[in-house]
Amino acid sequence: MKKYYPIVPNLSHQIEPEVDRSSKRHRNSINMANLPTDPGLQAPISDYNPNIQDEIRRYYLQQGPCQLRSHNFPPTFFGKQKRWFNIACIRFLLRQGLAFCVHDESQNSTNQGNFLELLTFLADHNEEIRVVALKNAPENLKLTSPKIQKDIVNACAVETINVIIEDIGDAIFSVLVDESRDVAIKEQMVVMCRYVDKKWYVIERFIGIEHVPNTTSISLKIAIDKLYSKHGLSISRLRGQGYDGASNMSGEFNGLKSIIMKENECAFFVYCFAHQLQLTLMDVAKKHDLIGTFLIVVSNVVNIVGASSKRRGILREKQAAKVIEALKSGQLSSRKGLNQENWIKCPYLQLQELNSHFNEANTELLLCLACLSPNNSFSAFDKGKLIRLAQLYPHYFSTIDLKMLECQLQTYVEDMRSNVAFSELKGIADLSKRLVETRKHEIYSLVYLLIKLALTLPVAIDSVERAFSAMNIVKIKCATKWEING
C-alpha cells in the first residue's frame, strides 16, 4: 500500500523557513510597459511582490499571445538544402486559385491532388529535392498532410492580409460586401476594401470571408465589426459602401447601409452599377413586348442548339448563307428606317428604368461626382455642384475650407484646360495620377481631396463576385480532408 499511498509528513509542527524578502520586487519598481513579452524572458509571477502579482497577471492576459515579429527564425536545412519546396508549391497553387487535396491521396491513387502531384513533379525533375522530399524525408518531416497544408495556407493568408492592412495604413476606404452559400450550404460573407494607395492607384483588396449564421443586416454588421476589429480597421474611416439591391443590404430603414450610416454619416452607399444594369434590362424586357419575345427566342435557341456542337455548326452555316442572300437582295439593312427607330427607343426605356433605381441622395452624389471628370477638356465641370459635394463631407470641409475651395476651383479649371498635360485624360483615376506627377495636388489640395474621396466610392461589386468564384473552385466536395468550417 505504501507504493500507491506514500506517507505524507506532518507539517503542523515544522517551522516555516524564512523567505528572503529582498528577492521580492517592490511595487514602485515595476513599470508595466517594460515587462518582457517573450515567454522565454518573463520572470515567474511568484518572483514578484504578492501585492502586484494579480496586476501583472492581468497585464499579460490583456497583451494576448506573444508574436515574435522581429525575430529572424533560421531556415531548416536537410544536408545543404533549405526546405523551401513545400512553400513554393503552396504559393503556386494559391496564385493560380487551385484546390490542394482530393478525396483519395493514397499511394495507389492515380490523382493525389494538386499539391502532392506538383511536389512529386519537382522531386522527379530535381535531384536535390528528391533526396529530402516525400519518401526520402527524414523521419516524419514530409510536411504533406492536409492539416499541415492548411496551416501553411493560413500562415500565407495572415501575412498577405497584414501586407494589405499595412498598405491601407491610415487612409480612408470603402467596403464592398456580398453573401452567398458555399458547397457546404453555409452562408459566407466576402468583405473587400477599396482605397487609394500610396502610389495614388485605386485598389480593391480582399480582406476575408466570414461565416455568418444568417444573412440579416444585424448579423452582417456584427461580422464586419469583428473582422475590422481583428485587423485594426475602423468604421470611422469608412467613406463608401457597395452592395447589391437585396433588402438586407440596401434597405432604407433596417438595411446594412442604414445601420453603418447611423454610425458614420459620410459612409455613402452606392448601388452596384452592374446589378442595376441587369435589373434595368430585365424590367425593360418585361415592359417591351418585342424585347421580351426576342429574349425568350434567344434563350430557347441557346438551350437547344448549345447542347450539341453539330447543331451549332449547322446553325452557323445556314444563318451565314441567309444573311449573305438577304444583303444581296436588299431585304436586310442595318439601322435604317424602322430598325433605327426601335434601336433609339430601347436606350431611352433603359435610361428611364435605370433612373428609377437611384434615390434622391444617390442621384445628387453621382451628379456631383461627374463634375470632376476631365473628359472633353473638363466639359462637365460645375463649381456649384462641386461645392455641394464638399458639403456632404463636413468632417473634411469646414466653412473656411469651403470658401478656400471655391477660390481654388476657379483657378484649377482654368489651369487644367490650358495645360497640355491634362488634355487627353480618360477618367478621374488618370486625373489623380497626373496631378501627383505634376505636383499640382499640393497647389490644389482641397480639389485633390475631393478627387480622392470620389475615387474611394465603390462602383461595382464584381471583384466580390470573383472572390466567390475562386471560393467555389477551391472549396469542392471532393476535398473531404479539408475542414469546411468557414
Side-chain angles (χ1 to χ4, degrees), residues 20 40 72 106 133 146 157 162 249 303 348 366 369 403 444 448 460 464:
D20 186 6
N72 294 323
S106 62
N162 289 340
M249 308 292 280
N303 291 335
Y348 178 73
L366 295 175
L369 291 175
K403 294 180 180 179
Y444 308 109
Y448 182 74
V464 181

Side-chain angles (χ1 to χ4, degrees), residues 25 32 34-39 41-45 48 53-66:
R25 304 185 183 185
M32 295 298 177
N34 296 332
L35 289 175
T37 57
D38 187 350
L41 302 177
Q42 294 175 7
I45 299 296
Y48 293 95
Q53 287 182 7
D54 290 340
E55 184 178 354
I56 293 174
R57 188 177 289 107
R58 284 194 298 270
Y59 172 79
Y60 280 124
L61 290 175
Q62 292 174 357
Q63 295 302 309
C66 174

